[in-house]
Amino acid sequence: MSLAGKVLFITGASRGIGKAIAIRAAQDGASVAIAAKTADPNPKLPGTIFSAAKEIEAAGGKALPIQCDIRDEKQVQAALEKTVAKFGKIDIVINNASAISLTPTEKTDVKRYDLMHSINGRGTWLVSKLALPYLKKSDNAHILNLCPPLSMEEKWFAPFPAYTIAKYNMSLCVLGMAGEFRQYGIAVNGLWPLTMVETAALKIAADGMEERKSRKVEIMSDAAHIILTKNAREFSGNFCLDELLLRKHGVTDFE
């Protein structure tokens, strides 16, 4: 149950859940490539690829900060090549990068709609596609998408259809690629919070939500660690909810 010696490629890992997953892996001694856009500090969204790298190394891992826009094929390919040049391989891909707009149809700008779909769905597909040749060489390869379980109920779509559809594109990648990549022994799974998780981006999107109603990002990184340490040939095509997965593995204290 360790990620020691593993190499992770994580999109959007300069802050939030992506960074938390990176730090948890670093505590095992893993190496992490941080592929994210933020290289300069932003007053609204704290954290950069460089500050995240420092935290990862302080936790016991190795870090490679890479400024990368996952909408750009050439940038993604270059980021993957830099990771392999630095660490020699890629064992795990975490598709964490997402754009969010919790708005109804009338209040969703077309530009924002396009952004969510180009990052969430297309970006996840592109990173997974280009990482495939490297993952094929790993002895326990995983792709983990931060996406919701597929459930065709009106209640999940009605509040903010554009965002839900964009996230479901990531979920559809899990469904399709789990079957497609099974022949290579590559696991593809999804992870989603059972309850709201506190992140800087969500605070902005939810317009001042109450922090007391939100859990810390570590619940997601602990759940991700369980998934990523499983046998890739035996655990694939699953949509996991953080608390339920942790309870199944003996965690009872969620304070």
Side-chain angles (χ1 to χ4, degrees):
M1 296 291 290
S2 174
L3 294 175
K6 299 296 183 181
V7 176
L8 289 75
F9 184 92
I10 309 180
T11 66
S14 57
R15 61 179 67 90
I17 293 170
K19 187 181 76 171
I21 293 174
I23 290 172
R24 179 64 186 88
Q27 291 170 354
D28 284 358
S31 300
V32 183
I34 309 153
K37 286 182 65 178
T38 308
D40 299 313
N42 183 325
K44 291 185 178 180
L45 291 170
T48 68
I49 55 175
F50 303 110
S51 63
K54 289 181 180 178
E55 292 186 60
I56 290 165
E57 290 172 349
K62 295 178 181 178
L64 175 63
I66 306 172
Q67 188 174 25
C68 177
D69 184 341
I70 64 167
R71 294 172 294 176
D72 188 307
E73 180 181 355
K74 291 182 179 179
Q75 288 189 37
V76 174
Q77 185 63 59
L80 292 165
E81 290 173 358
K82 287 178 184 176
T83 303
V84 175
K86 175 74 172 180
F87 299 128
K89 61 176 182 173
I90 296 174
D91 298 294
I92 294 166
V93 167
I94 310 290
N95 287 305
N96 166 73
S98 287
I100 181 172
S101 182
L102 302 181
T103 50
T105 299
E106 283 187 303
K107 294 183 178 180
T108 304
D109 295 334
V110 174
K111 184 178 180 180
R112 192 68 184 177
Y113 177 96
D114 290 341
L115 179 68
M116 288 191 288
H117 282 261
S118 61
I119 293 176
N120 301 6
R122 184 180 180 276
T124 292
W125 178 86
L126 179 61
V127 171
S128 301
K129 168 186 168 61
L130 297 181
L132 185 58
Y134 306 108
L135 293 173
K136 284 180 180 180
K137 298 176 183 179
S138 173
D139 59 1
N140 197 51
H142 283 267
I143 295 174
L144 181 62
N145 295 351
L146 277 295
C147 62
L150 287 167
S151 177
M152 297 301 162
E153 295 184 56
E154 181 183 286
K155 65 180 181 179
W156 302 121
F157 291 86
F160 22 80
Y163 174 66
T164 303
I165 294 168
K167 290 301 289 188
Y168 266 41
N169 282 334
M170 297 176 70
S171 307
L172 290 170
C173 283
V174 171
L175 193 63
M177 292 179 182
E180 185 183 11
F181 300 165
R182 187 167 286 116
Q183 61 182 313
Y184 308 122
I186 300 171
V188 187
N189 293 289
L191 177 62
W192 196 243
L194 183 64
T195 61
M196 195 174 287
V197 171
E198 178 188 333
T199 66
L202 187 57
K203 280 184 182 180
I204 295 171
D207 193 21
M209 68 179 187
E210 296 181 50
E211 290 184 19
R212 63 182 177 84
K213 294 181 179 179
S214 305
R215 283 177 163 162
K216 304 299 183 184
V217 290
E218 284 74 21
I219 189 171
M220 288 289 281
S221 60
D222 285 347
H225 187 270
I226 289 174
I227 295 170
L228 301 175
T229 52
K230 286 185 176 289
N231 186 325
R233 294 186 178 276
E234 298 176 357
F235 192 83
S236 185
N238 301 284
F239 292 99
C240 304
L241 294 172
D242 55 1
E243 180 184 328
L244 302 186
L245 181 67
L246 288 165
R247 286 190 183 278
K248 188 176 180 180
H249 288 78
V251 179
T252 56
D253 183 2
F254 291 89
E255 281 298 313

Short mmCIF file of all heavy atoms in Angstrom, two decimals, residues 115 144 250:
data_model
loop_
_atom_site.label_atom_id
_atom_site.label_comp_id
_atom_site.label_asym_id
_atom_site.label_seq_id
_atom_site.Cartn_x
_atom_site.Cartn_y
_atom_site.Cartn_z
N LEU A 115 -14.83 27.01 -22.40
CA LEU A 115 -13.67 26.77 -21.54
C LEU A 115 -13.82 25.47 -20.75
O LEU A 115 -12.89 24.65 -20.69
CB LEU A 115 -13.47 27.94 -20.58
CG LEU A 115 -12.30 27.81 -19.60
CD1 LEU A 115 -10.98 27.89 -20.34
CD2 LEU A 115 -12.38 28.90 -18.53
N LEU A 144 -6.63 8.29 -13.13
CA LEU A 144 -7.70 8.64 -12.19
C LEU A 144 -8.27 9.99 -12.59
O LEU A 144 -7.55 10.99 -12.62
CB LEU A 144 -7.17 8.69 -10.76
CG LEU A 144 -8.20 9.04 -9.68
CD1 LEU A 144 -9.30 8.00 -9.61
CD2 LEU A 144 -7.52 9.20 -8.32
N GLY A 250 -12.01 0.73 6.21
CA GLY A 250 -11.81 0.77 7.64
C GLY A 250 -11.71 2.13 8.30
O GLY A 250 -11.50 2.20 9.51
#
